[in-house]
Structure formats: structure tokens, C-alpha cells
Amino acid sequence: MKDEIKKVLLLGSGALKIGEAGEFDYSGSQALKALKEEGIETVLINPNIATVQTSEGVADQIYFLPVTPYFVEKVIEKERPDGVLLSFGGQTALNCGVALYKAGIFEKYNVRVLGTPVQAIMDTEDRELFVEKLNEINVKTIKSEAVENLEDARRAAKELGYPVIIRAAYALGGLGSGFCDNEEELNVLAEKAFSFSPQVLVEKSLKGWKEVEYEVVRDRYDNCITVCNMENFDPLGIHTGESIVIAPSQTLTNAEYHKLRELAIRIIRHIGIVGECNVQYAFDPESEDYRVIEVNARLSRSSALLPKRPAIRWLSLPPN
């Protein structure tokens, strides 16, 4: 494959905003360095001028352009890369890659998607497909229904029973997500969620359960490694971007740790992810019951920032 791939396009994380995109400078920079070590020419699209990956010498060609299908196609047309990497620019890059794939742009210019296939990205991002995929291997997800209008959202919430949580598909930083205790709250939040995404997931609330995350890397030969597991200091109900995250987890027993680890590896093998990803769980503190919240076919904010924060990374004290 190395001989076939001479030039690779990497999609960056898009415009930098508070609480969004900055963490993916880390993963994108590492990817560009690895490609350079292999002697592969690199092309980067990223409008973030104050990042490591846009520094001189990290990529061979840098385009300070928005990470949108229109501009990415223009760069592909000019540079004619052999391959493209979608998993290192966070949600912006994933969404852009899916749009380009559906529009036939990669096929038109004979660009190979390297790493995680686009279908696997869609299987994790489309909430309905995601639940169907995990049902195939008997992995438990939160009882939910994907809807595309407010009327169906109201019906789904009544059937599931309040409280419920609203999640917008293909959303950045938890946009459009939140808890609803009644129909009045649901009307407000669902309307907001639909402004961000055409599909919204209405799911049963598990507020108060532990939130646990496993970072897993899988190569194309099906070798898997769990880089680390993390535990949110706050229970389910606080967005991970606003929560303290501890790695490794401090309250899981050895049996619980290995149960969730085995599940994470089984999940990403079944979905077909190639590269880094994370599996997020809701875990019942009173039993070993669990639900898979989501799988991200990319680095997460927590995993990007934890290696750079030794003071946060190890919060437990040695036993007396």
C-alpha cells in the first residue's frame, strides 16, 4: 500500500471555537508526522492558523480553507491525492467526509479513504444504524428511537416514558442534546436539536449512572489495543466536555474493567473501525449493568487532552 499511496490529504478540524476543535490539532499533527516518516507527501486543509499542524514544515502543502465539501473538492481537484484521512479532524472532518462520499467526489477523483471506511463512520454517527449494528452482536444500547420531526419526538418520549434525553445526530460538542422531564421541555429542546441535525435520538434517561470511556486502536489486520480507559468524575447527565475526566478509572472493579474492555473490542471489530476510536458507556453503579452511549470513529476530547495533563491524569493517592 505504501508504494501505491504517494500523496495523502488530511482534513483538519475546522474553525477553532471555545470548547471545540482545538483538541484535534494533537491527533492531526501526529498523523502528519507519521506520514512524513513513511515518505508520503501530505496536504492539509485547516483554517486554524494558531495550531501545530499548520506550522511550517509539518505538512507539505497547507490550505487555510474551511473544511467543507465545496473547498475540499477544489483542493482534491488541484492536488489529486491518492488517499484521504477523515478521522483526525474531529466531528467537522467526519461530517465533511461523509458528505463527499455521498456526493461521489472520492470516486470521481479516484481518492481512497484510508483508515476507517465511510460506511463505518455512518454506522456510528447515524443513531438508528448504530443501534441496529450493536443489536447484531447482542450489545446493549440505551432504549431509544431515532426521529426526524417534532411530532415523532413527542410520541417516542411518551412511549419511552419521561425523563428522556434528546441527542442530535452528526452534532458537534453535544449541540442540541439535553434532558427533558416533560413534554413542554421536550418541545423546546427538540426544536433546537432539529436546527442542528435532520435526525434526533429520543432515549430513556439514565441520569446518575457512571460514565466510562475506552480508547481503542485497531489496525487493518484486526489487532486491537485499549490505550486507556477513562471515568467521568460527574455521573451521566453532565456533558463530557464540561466534566472532570480521570484516567485510568478509579472505581471499577477488575471484573467490571475487563467486561467493558472486551465489549469495546468486540464492538469496534464488528463495526469495522480502522485506527483510533472511543466507546462511551453508561454503567450502573449498583450492578454490572451497562449501556453503550456512543462510538466515535475518531479521537475524543478527553483522550486528546489527558496525555498532556499529567496532573489531571493520576488523581488517586497511594494507599496508606
Side-chain angles (χ1 to χ4, degrees):
M1 178 180 138
K2 183 182 168 185
D3 295 333
E4 300 169 21
I5 303 295
K6 303 290 186 186
K7 183 189 285 191
V8 168
L9 171 66
L10 187 140
L11 303 189
S13 54
L16 184 62
K17 304 171 192 173
I18 294 172
E20 178 191 315
E23 63 271 21
F24 299 109
D25 181 37
Y26 179 76
S27 58
S29 300
Q30 298 304 310
L32 290 166
K33 289 175 184 177
L35 289 167
K36 183 159 281 192
E37 286 178 6
E38 296 297 321
I40 296 170
E41 187 179 348
T42 54
V43 180
L44 169 68
I45 301 176
N46 191 347
N48 293 354
I49 59 173
T51 55
V52 173
Q53 64 186 241
T54 52
S55 301
E56 187 177 358
V58 178
D60 295 301
Q61 292 289 337
I62 302 171
Y63 289 86
F64 293 101
L65 294 170
V67 183
T68 62
Y70 174 82
F71 287 107
V72 174
E73 183 183 359
K74 295 295 183 187
V75 172
I76 289 173
E77 186 179 11
K78 180 185 176 186
E79 293 288 343
R80 298 299 174 115
D82 304 303
V84 61
L85 289 169
L86 309 175
S87 303
F88 299 95
Q91 198 63 51
T92 298
L94 290 183
N95 290 353
C96 183
V98 169
L100 289 164
Y101 173 80
K102 288 181 175 178
I105 302 303
F106 295 141
E107 187 177 5
K108 177 182 176 181
Y109 294 99
N110 197 28
V111 179
R112 185 191 303 182
V113 176
L114 305 176
T116 299
V118 178
Q119 185 58 54
I121 295 171
M122 292 190 289
D123 286 343
T124 58
E125 295 294 337
D126 184 300
R127 301 292 179 176
E128 199 164 13
L129 289 176
F130 178 65
V131 171
E132 289 174 5
K133 201 74 179 171
L134 294 199
N135 283 342
E136 292 171 5
I137 53 172
N138 298 316
V139 170
K140 290 192 277 189
T141 53
I142 300 173
K143 195 174 181 183
S144 62
E145 185 177 338
V147 296
E148 295 180 357
N149 58 64
L150 186 56
E151 186 180 339
D152 284 343
R154 292 194 195 103
R155 177 190 50 76
K158 283 179 182 176
E159 289 175 1
L160 291 168
Y162 289 97
V164 297
I165 182 171
I166 295 290
R167 292 181 183 275
Y170 298 95
L172 292 159
L175 284 176
S177 299
F179 290 89
C180 309
D181 290 322
N182 52 57
E183 190 170 290
E184 187 179 344
E185 291 179 6
L186 179 126
N187 289 338
V188 174
L189 192 58
E191 191 172 333
K192 180 183 174 185
F194 280 120
S195 71
F196 295 118
S197 171
Q199 184 195 70
V200 165
L201 190 76
V202 182
E203 65 183 35
K204 186 67 180 169
S205 170
L206 296 177
K207 186 183 283 190
W209 286 31
K210 294 180 184 180
E211 189 164 355
V212 182
E213 184 174 333
Y214 277 68
E215 299 296 322
V216 188
V217 177
R218 174 179 177 266
D219 69 14
R220 64 190 182 119
Y221 302 108
D222 205 28
N223 298 305
C224 294
I225 179 171
T226 49
V227 179
C228 75
N229 84 317
M230 297 178 285
E231 181 177 3
N232 280 42
F233 180 80
D234 300 290
L236 194 71
I238 306 297
H239 187 259
T240 52
E242 299 169 345
S243 175
I244 297 169
V245 181
I246 301 163
S249 61
Q250 299 297 305
T251 70
L252 296 183
T253 66
N254 190 51
E256 290 169 343
Y257 168 83
H258 283 287
K259 175 179 181 175
L260 297 181
R261 178 182 180 276
E262 185 275 328
L263 278 169
I265 292 173
R266 182 146 51 99
I267 289 164
I268 73 155
R269 280 179 167 158
H270 182 65
I271 292 173
I273 288 170
V274 179
E276 211 276 350
C277 77
N278 60 85
V279 182
Q280 295 181 13
Y281 296 99
F283 196 74
D284 184 1
E286 304 300 327
S287 69
E288 286 195 4
D289 199 11
Y290 74 92
R291 297 292 185 276
V292 175
I293 299 171
E294 65 180 353
V295 173
N296 290 307
R298 54 170 171 80
L299 199 74
S300 78
R301 174 179 302 147
S302 310
S303 56
L305 297 180
L306 271 168
K308 300 182 182 181
R309 303 287 187 272
I312 297 175
R313 202 173 173 191
W314 309 103
L315 291 182
S316 62
L317 296 172
N320 294 327

